[in-house]
């Protein structure tokens, strides 16, 4: 596996491979890799000649400095994991100046309202930061296909919108959330949980399964209050938001229309670790 530590090394490699007509798949990450990331590369390896990864902890998407400082940085272990997976041909480890040559600031985007609620509302500036780094990485790596996890479903929708708005010649593919045996969604943040917290956190998935059962059986407001009650009576956890939203517009719904698709979205603090999850409802 090739390792590129700056933009010019990466660009030369990409140009060489594009001239050879290789189809390129790419999945960007912030490191602290787990099997959820590896599933992106497994999918990419099936559909592309060349698979490229990137690891860059993007400062502009953190609205909370403590979260940025505490974000796990495990580059050497990540490189080994990528190598051992057998799916990845090259990893790009840019420096901040490779992504932000003019200084570490976000561009400002309008994603047709997809950014207005949930993570956009809770984390001001987050999607400007994500948009900035993803646009830059897509321009540098020039993939044919790029892979993003459904665990960050709003991010996935926004990246699809970004590509459309900027006319970037890449197809964005969403890959289902990978879960531990308990149902807890795989996340780099899980490493910050104690064993007891990790075990208790399965209640997030269990609650989403209950919501799936209640879907179109009880009202949206009744579901909302049942979910709120669950977390109000769970010690050590604070629910930041729960919302059932239209899967396409990502707007919260207060009624289930027959011809629309819906998804439940949730964020829960387990201790001081912020965990996010979602589930398609049908
Ligand atoms: O999902 C992530 O890990 C990040 O938001 C991404 C897409 C790599 C951009 O920094």
């Amino acid at each position: 596996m090739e390792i590129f530590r700056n933009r010019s090394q990466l660009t030369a490699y990409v140009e060489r491979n594009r001239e050879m007509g290789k189809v390129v798949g790419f999945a960007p990450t912030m490191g602290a890799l787990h099997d959820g990331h590896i599933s992106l590369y497994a999918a990419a390896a099936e559909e592309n000649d060349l698979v490229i990864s990137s690891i860059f902890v993007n400062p502009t998407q953190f609205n909370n400095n403590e979260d940025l400082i505490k974000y796990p940085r495990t580059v050497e272990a990540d490189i080994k994991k990528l190598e051992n997976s057998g799916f990845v041909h090259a990893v790009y480890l840019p420096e901040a100046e490779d992504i932000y040559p003019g200084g570490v600031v976000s561009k400002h985007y309008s994603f047709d309202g997809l950014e207005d609620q949930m993570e956009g509302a809770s984390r001001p500036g987050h999607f400007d930061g994500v948009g900035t780094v993803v646009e830059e990485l897509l321009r540098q790596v020039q993939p044919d296909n790029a892979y993003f996890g459904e665990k960050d479903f709003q991010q996935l929708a926004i990246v699809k919108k970004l590509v459309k708005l900027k006319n970037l010649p890449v197809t964005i593919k969403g890959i289902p959330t990978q879960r531990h045996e308990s149902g807890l969604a795989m996340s780099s943040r899980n490493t910050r949980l104690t064993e007891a917290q990790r075990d208790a956190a399965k209640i997030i998935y269990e609650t989403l399964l209950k919501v799936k059962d209640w879907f179109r059986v009880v009202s949206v407001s009744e579901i909302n209050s049942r979910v709120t009650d669950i977390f109000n009576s769970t010690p050590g956890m604070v629910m930041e938001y729960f919302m059932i939203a239209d899967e396409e517009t990502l707007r919260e719904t207060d009624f289930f229309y027959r011809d629309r698709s819906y998804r439940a979205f949730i964020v829960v603090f387990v201790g001081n670790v912020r965990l996010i999850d979602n589930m398609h409802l049908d």
Side-chain angles (χ1 to χ4, degrees), residues 9-280:
Q9 292 171 345
L10 170 89
T11 311
Y13 176 78
V14 167
E15 295 299 339
R16 251 189 344 265
N17 280 284
R18 294 205 70 85
E19 275 164 21
M20 288 190 278
K22 297 238 172 121
V23 178
V24 179
F26 171 58
T29 78
M30 297 206 297
L33 301 183
H34 49 70
D35 287 351
H37 295 107
I38 301 303
S39 74
L40 305 181
Y41 299 115
E46 289 210 347
E47 300 173 339
N48 302 273
D49 302 316
L50 195 76
V51 176
I52 302 180
S53 165
S54 67
I55 300 174
F56 177 67
V57 182
N58 174 35
T60 63
Q61 70 187 78
F62 289 83
N63 57 314
N64 173 338
N65 207 38
E66 196 191 332
D67 208 21
L68 171 61
I69 290 164
K70 286 196 174 150
Y71 200 84
R73 287 161 174 85
T74 55
V75 181
E76 293 314 313
D78 291 342
I79 291 173
K80 281 214 171 71
K81 208 166 250 173
L82 291 173
E83 236 157 18
N84 291 341
S85 77
F87 298 129
V88 179
H89 299 91
V91 58
Y92 178 35
L93 310 171
E95 296 291 341
E97 52 269 32
D98 294 309
I99 303 294
Y100 295 101
V104 183
V105 282
S106 300
K107 292 187 195 170
H108 181 65
Y109 297 89
S110 169
F111 296 113
D112 288 352
L114 290 175
E115 73 279 32
D116 288 345
Q117 48 284 309
M118 299 189 285
E119 295 305 276
S122 288
R123 305 175 66 188
H126 172 66
F127 286 124
D128 279 341
V130 170
T132 305
V133 73
V134 171
E135 181 180 355
E136 189 54 35
L137 285 167
L138 291 177
R139 290 189 189 282
Q140 293 186 22
V141 177
Q142 301 175 49
D144 298 280
N145 301 298
Y147 297 78
F148 292 82
E150 285 185 352
K151 185 172 82 67
D152 296 300
F153 193 85
Q154 190 177 15
Q155 169 174 281
L156 170 62
I158 279 174
V159 170
K160 284 182 179 163
K161 181 66 76 179
L162 169 76
V163 159
K164 216 172 191 173
L165 292 172
K166 298 286 171 183
N167 266 321
L168 300 175
V170 54
T171 302
I172 302 300
K173 312 237 173 168
I175 301 299
T177 302
Q178 302 297 303
R179 298 184 180 280
H180 294 284
E181 218 172 294
S182 67
L184 176 65
M186 289 187 187
S187 164
S188 305
R189 289 164 196 252
N190 293 350
T191 57
R192 289 171 51 200
L193 299 171
T194 64
E195 213 166 298
Q197 284 174 325
R198 217 179 148 100
D199 183 49
K202 64 179 185 253
I203 194 170
I204 300 169
Y205 176 67
E206 290 166 353
T207 303
L208 289 174
L209 287 180
K210 285 185 181 155
V211 171
K212 215 173 165 64
D213 282 346
W214 298 330
F215 176 58
R216 296 194 195 275
V217 177
V218 294
S219 67
V220 176
S221 62
E222 176 60 22
I223 295 178
N224 287 345
S225 73
R226 288 184 190 183
V227 171
T228 303
D229 288 348
I230 289 174
F231 287 96
N232 279 346
S233 56
T234 305
M237 290 191 205
V238 176
M239 188 179 83
E240 184 181 307
Y241 65 73
F242 168 78
M243 184 181 296
I244 297 178
D246 184 292
E247 212 162 36
E248 202 179 302
T249 64
L250 300 187
R251 297 217 166 275
E252 182 169 21
T253 194
D254 53 9
F255 187 80
F256 296 127
Y257 294 90
R258 286 232 326 256
D259 56 344
R260 303 298 302 172
S261 296
Y262 296 98
R263 190 169 278 260
F265 295 86
I266 191 163
V267 169
V268 175
F269 274 92
V270 179
N272 64 356
V273 183
R274 188 175 185 272
L275 299 181
I276 183 169
D277 205 347
N278 67 79
M279 189 176 282
H280 172 73

